[in-house]
């Protein structure tokens, strides 16, 4: 990862000083990194005595995120024109308002600052952004912001930022030999009181029996393509109705399928409604799944991306395979 520059720090501080009130918003269907980076930014604004409100459209489907859901609202307050001029929007863990989902209220044309780490980020004003696609988690960027603006991270904030970083690094599984700086940052969070063992137990425990059954269904649906280098699986509307949509464990699904001999990438598609689908893409090493995600209106990292699009499984699966055949 690249360390945040002095110029970026000063740009962020100028943005904060030029507004009286802030919205902090992350992408819809948040993961741990989205929630943690949002809460970390909240801690920064609190340290700077700035009034703010946390926004997220949800839903908070993951079991480990349930306890944080009440800290967020899916409604932005109505603002008079003069109030809008004094209000700043900080978008974290994504770069576009459309990725925020259905938030009740008008966030358009608010002065905006973006903090993101996705390869497909596209901030309209680079001067009002801290974007580092070499950084494995937005929580790490927020950690550096906190340290350079407010000083050492306190225990409660260190715990949540560690939680977010562990979510996106897969407890270090996704790091490479170029990520020594990441471990240095993480060591400071541990020194501040974050506990790796209890965080791992919290993230991986407490899964409902129905989620294990659904995992089995998705493994049963899995098929190999492109000489076994690509594995595609799916979840139908009936699967969701039978086993529910709470407490999903997509990480276990991706891990199991990527461990298959010769597998280089995995695509998972879920039929959300009769006419819309969500997709999750994961890969090893050289396969850039963000290139496929962008074809369907999504984005993300080289090795982890996603999208939501119109369509049905029977037509989307062949289309997904076709796009993968171009890059594998």
């Amino acid at each position: 990862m690249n360390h945040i520059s002095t110029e970026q720090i000063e740009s962020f501080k100028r943005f904060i000083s030029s507004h009286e009130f802030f919205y902090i918003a992350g992408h819809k269907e948040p993961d741990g990194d989205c929630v943690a980076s949002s809460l970390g930014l909240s801690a920064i604004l609190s340290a700077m005595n700035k009034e703010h409100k946390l926004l997220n459209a949800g839903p908070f489907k993951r079991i480990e995120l349930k306890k944080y859901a009440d800290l967020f609202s899916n409604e932005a307050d109505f603002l008079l024109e003069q109030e809008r001029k004094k209000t700043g929007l900080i978008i974290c863990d994504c770069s576009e308002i459309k990725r925020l989902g259905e938030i009740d209220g008008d966030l358009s044309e608010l002065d905006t600052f973006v903090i993101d780490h996705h390869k497909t980020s596209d901030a309209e004003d680079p001067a009002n952004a801290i974007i580092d696609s070499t950084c494995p988690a937005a929580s790490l960027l927020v950690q550096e912001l906190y340290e350079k603006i407010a000083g050492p991270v306190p225990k409660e904030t260190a715990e949540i930022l560690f939680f977010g970083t562990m979510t996106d690094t897969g407890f270090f599984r996704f790091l490479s030999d170029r990520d020594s700086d990441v471990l240095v940052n993480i060591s400071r969070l541990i020194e501040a009181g974050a506990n790796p063992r209890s965080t791992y137990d919290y993230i991986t425990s407490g899964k409902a029996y129905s989620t294990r059954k659904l995992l089995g269904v998705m493994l049963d649906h899995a098929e190999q393509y492109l000489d076994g280098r690509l594995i595609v699986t799916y979840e139908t509307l009936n699967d969701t109705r039978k086993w529910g949509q709470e407490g999903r464990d997509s990480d276990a699904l991706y891990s199991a399928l990527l461990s298959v001999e010769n597998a280089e990438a995995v695509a998972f598609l879920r039929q959300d409604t009769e006419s819309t689908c969500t997709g999750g893409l994961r890969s090893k090493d050289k396969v850039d799944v963000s290139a496929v995600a962008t074809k369907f209106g999504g984005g993300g990292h080289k090795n982890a991306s996603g999208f939501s699009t119109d369509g049905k499984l029977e037509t989307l699966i062949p289309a997904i395979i076709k796009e993968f055949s171009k890059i594998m």
Side-chain angles (χ1 to χ4, degrees):
M1 64 178 287
N2 299 314
H3 292 291
I4 297 176
S5 69
T6 300
E7 290 76 13
Q8 289 174 315
I9 294 293
E10 292 304 315
S11 176
F12 181 77
K13 290 167 69 174
R14 284 194 300 272
F15 178 82
I16 300 302
S17 65
S18 62
H19 301 89
E20 296 179 2
F21 178 79
F22 299 86
Y23 288 119
I24 300 171
H27 59 76
K28 64 181 181 179
E29 294 193 27
D31 57 8
D33 187 35
C34 178
V35 168
S37 56
S38 297
L39 292 174
L41 285 165
S42 174
I44 292 174
L45 292 184
S46 293
M48 300 176 77
N49 297 313
K50 289 290 187 177
E51 187 179 356
H52 58 280
K53 183 175 183 177
L54 288 159
L55 298 176
N56 199 286
F60 290 75
K61 294 180 179 179
R62 298 170 182 255
I63 291 174
E64 65 270 23
L65 300 182
K66 295 292 186 183
K67 72 176 185 180
Y68 301 111
D70 290 343
L71 300 176
F72 294 81
S73 172
N74 63 359
E75 298 180 359
D77 302 325
F78 174 77
L79 299 173
L80 300 173
E81 187 59 33
Q82 283 301 110
E83 294 174 318
R84 291 182 67 83
K85 293 178 181 178
K86 299 176 182 179
T87 299
L89 171 64
I90 304 176
I91 298 178
C92 61
D93 204 33
C94 67
S95 62
E96 300 171 298
I97 285 184
K98 67 180 182 180
R99 288 277 289 120
L100 303 182
E102 297 299 321
I103 292 177
D104 186 13
D106 184 12
L107 299 179
S108 65
E109 299 183 10
L110 289 178
D111 195 12
T112 303
F113 199 100
V114 170
I115 298 174
D116 194 17
H117 69 124
H118 291 96
K119 183 178 179 181
T120 52
S121 285
D122 185 24
E124 293 184 3
D125 181 7
N128 266 18
I130 297 174
I131 298 174
D132 180 6
S133 62
T134 70
C135 183
S139 294
L140 287 165
L141 297 175
V142 174
Q143 176 191 349
E144 287 208 355
L145 266 180
Y146 191 104
E147 291 170 337
K148 293 182 179 181
I149 292 174
V153 179
K155 183 176 185 294
E156 183 178 0
T157 304
E159 289 174 334
I160 187 63
L161 291 176
F162 183 83
F163 164 73
T165 300
M166 291 303 94
T167 298
D168 264 25
T169 64
F171 270 89
F172 310 129
R173 297 196 315 273
F174 308 141
L175 299 184
S176 72
D177 56 359
R178 300 183 299 275
D179 292 318
S180 60
D181 284 352
V182 172
L183 298 179
V184 172
N185 277 33
I186 289 172
S187 70
R188 294 198 299 273
L189 296 178
I190 295 173
E191 288 174 358
N195 188 313
R197 178 177 294 179
S198 62
T199 303
Y200 178 82
D201 289 342
Y202 176 70
I203 291 174
T204 58
S205 301
K207 309 297 184 185
Y209 177 71
S210 60
T211 67
R212 305 302 92 181
K213 297 291 286 186
L214 180 59
L215 180 60
V217 169
M218 291 186 289
L219 290 173
D220 189 52
H221 286 331
E223 296 289 347
Q224 294 177 300
Y225 300 92
L226 307 180
D227 298 322
R229 291 174 293 147
L230 172 67
I231 299 179
V232 179
T233 188
Y234 59 89
E235 179 182 330
T236 67
L237 284 172
N238 284 335
D239 294 333
T240 307
R241 294 188 187 107
K242 183 173 183 179
W243 301 113
Q245 51 184 328
E246 300 298 320
R248 298 175 175 280
D249 194 3
S250 55
D251 290 341
L253 175 68
Y254 296 129
S255 179
L257 294 179
L258 281 174
S259 69
V260 173
E261 184 180 13
N262 296 325
E264 297 177 15
V266 170
F268 163 65
L269 286 91
R270 181 177 70 241
Q271 190 79 52
D272 292 319
T273 70
E274 293 290 347
S275 59
T276 61
C277 285
T278 296
L281 312 175
R282 298 293 186 273
S283 69
K284 296 177 181 177
D285 303 327
K286 298 180 181 180
V287 179
D288 185 358
V289 294
S290 69
V292 175
T294 55
K295 296 291 185 179
F296 298 90
H301 306 289
K302 175 183 176 182
N303 301 123
S305 292
F307 61 86
S308 295
T309 188
D310 294 334
K312 293 180 177 291
L313 291 173
E314 52 265 34
T315 55
L316 280 174
I317 289 176
I320 287 285
I321 296 168
K322 181 179 179 180
E323 292 302 326
F324 269 103
S325 70
K326 298 175 182 178
I327 64 171
M328 296 179 68

